[in-house]
Amino acid sequence: MRSIVVGLGVQGHKRRRFAGDDYVASVDPLNSSADFRTIGEVPLDSFDAALCCVPDEPKFELLTYLFANGKHVLVEKPLWTGSSDQIAQLQALARHTGAVCYTAYNHRFEPHFLRMHDLIASGVLGRIYSCRMFYGNGTAQLVRESQWRDEGAGVLPDLGSHLLDTCRFWFGGIDDHFEIVSVNRFENRAPDHVVIGNEKGSCRIELEMTLLSWRNHFTCDVFAENGSAHIESLCKWGPSTFTHRKRVRPSGRPPEEATTLVQEDPTWATEYAYFKQLCGAGLPTDLSNDIWLQECLGRLSRAAIGITSRVDGLR
């Protein structure tokens, strides 16, 4: 499969690296090392797929062009457009031309995320009572200095999209009962620390995200009827540990099984291989997850922006 990279920034360089021998060219209007300035300059017969690492604003127009020409697309999360109707339009167009669209949520390929998915699916934990996740990095200054990142709802669509997608990966089609618990702008113009929660679903969910964790970190705690499961850190920030604790009745210290990984981040290579597999299988494009995320994150983002606007009005 011949792949081009559209958007030769940090993510684009990663995608180019892991595309390996499939990579044929790059597109970027600002990066002088790119082969082309616009997607229209790339000969259509020179590539089969595009790895789109671009800001949200141009995604709809870019993907419309690619799908209309039958090109497969891996697009960096979130697939954010002007409305969920536009995502539905993209899905219809991709299905019409036989193009495959995959939105990249690489954390689904994190070894312990897969282990958590399989443990929950097995039923061993029994009824799931609650799930709490924390996702933090220390990129506040980098975001603040960016021309386009420090705006809107800030960290919420950036890291919140990962966390909400992870919830759907583990628990299936969860209801959109999420609400803003807290929103802060400690250093940036847009929110850089947000907590959202869902108290009305089949299990309680709390998701905390921040750009102010000076040592990048991830934690997850799932508490359930027959025990609990925990993730400490990601492979890229390792060591990464998965712990499964089995409940002792009526009480007592539970036996536990812990697995610790010290390795390079495997998700980029595994995700690209998965994308190639999807393209080879030619399965119809399904963007229902993206529609759900757009509607959920859109509502939460409007609420977060409204809260910060009211705070500004009181100053």
Side-chain angles (χ1 to χ4, degrees), residues 40-286:
E41 296 174 10
V42 188
L44 288 171
D45 61 359
S46 69
F47 70 102
D48 307 301
L51 314 179
C52 297
C53 312
V54 299
D56 294 334
E57 191 274 331
K59 283 179 180 175
F60 178 72
E61 182 179 355
L62 173 63
L63 268 59
T64 297
Y65 172 83
L66 290 165
F67 294 154
N69 288 286
K71 303 303 181 182
H72 305 309
V73 170
L74 178 152
V75 58
E76 294 294 343
K77 63 83 189 169
L79 178 47
W80 197 267
T81 63
S83 69
S84 56
D85 287 342
Q86 287 188 322
I87 298 180
Q89 291 174 33
L90 290 174
Q91 175 178 280
L93 180 58
R95 289 183 175 183
H96 177 70
T97 62
V100 170
C101 180
Y102 167 73
T103 307
Y105 284 96
N106 66 302
H107 291 345
R108 287 191 176 213
F109 300 92
E110 187 76 22
H112 290 331
F113 281 44
L114 292 166
R115 187 171 278 110
M116 181 71 82
H117 171 274
D118 293 344
L119 181 62
I120 291 170
S122 74
V124 168
L125 289 174
R127 180 187 168 196
I128 306 296
Y129 295 144
S130 70
C131 173
R132 185 190 67 85
M133 283 188 267
F134 169 87
Y135 193 162
N137 62 45
T139 60
Q141 182 173 340
L142 294 175
V143 169
R144 187 170 65 251
E145 294 173 351
S146 166
Q147 293 182 355
W148 58 272
R149 293 182 66 189
D150 191 15
E151 60 184 15
V155 70
L156 178 55
D158 184 14
L159 299 186
S161 56
H162 266 310
L163 296 179
L164 287 167
D165 178 75
T166 298
C167 288
R168 287 174 66 82
F169 179 49
W170 289 345
F171 304 121
I174 57 177
D175 293 327
D176 178 12
H177 295 308
F178 288 89
E179 302 292 342
I180 298 289
V181 176
S182 69
V183 55
N184 287 281
R185 296 173 299 172
F186 292 110
E187 293 191 2
N188 290 12
R189 295 182 298 275
D192 51 23
H193 191 118
V194 175
V195 182
I196 62 175
N198 185 338
E199 299 284 349
K200 299 179 181 178
S202 58
C203 74
R204 176 186 179 276
I205 299 175
E206 180 181 321
L207 309 175
E208 181 177 4
M209 61 218 74
T210 184
L211 303 178
L212 308 163
S213 177
W214 309 128
R215 188 190 191 284
N216 298 345
H217 197 48
F218 174 87
T219 60
C220 173
D221 300 291
V222 172
F223 295 96
E225 177 184 14
N226 298 326
S228 63
H230 312 267
I231 298 174
E232 183 82 11
S233 195
L234 305 176
C235 283
K236 62 181 178 180
W237 302 329
S240 176
T241 300
F242 183 92
T243 304
H244 174 205
R245 299 187 177 115
K246 299 179 181 179
R247 181 179 181 181
V248 172
R249 300 174 187 271
S251 66
R253 181 174 179 174
E256 65 179 46
E257 301 172 0
T259 302
T260 298
L261 299 176
V262 180
Q263 64 178 75
E264 296 294 323
D265 183 353
T267 63
W268 299 92
T270 308
E271 185 174 53
Y272 183 71
Y274 176 73
F275 173 59
K276 286 185 66 174
Q277 179 183 344
L278 289 178
C279 296
L283 297 177
T285 287
D286 180 1

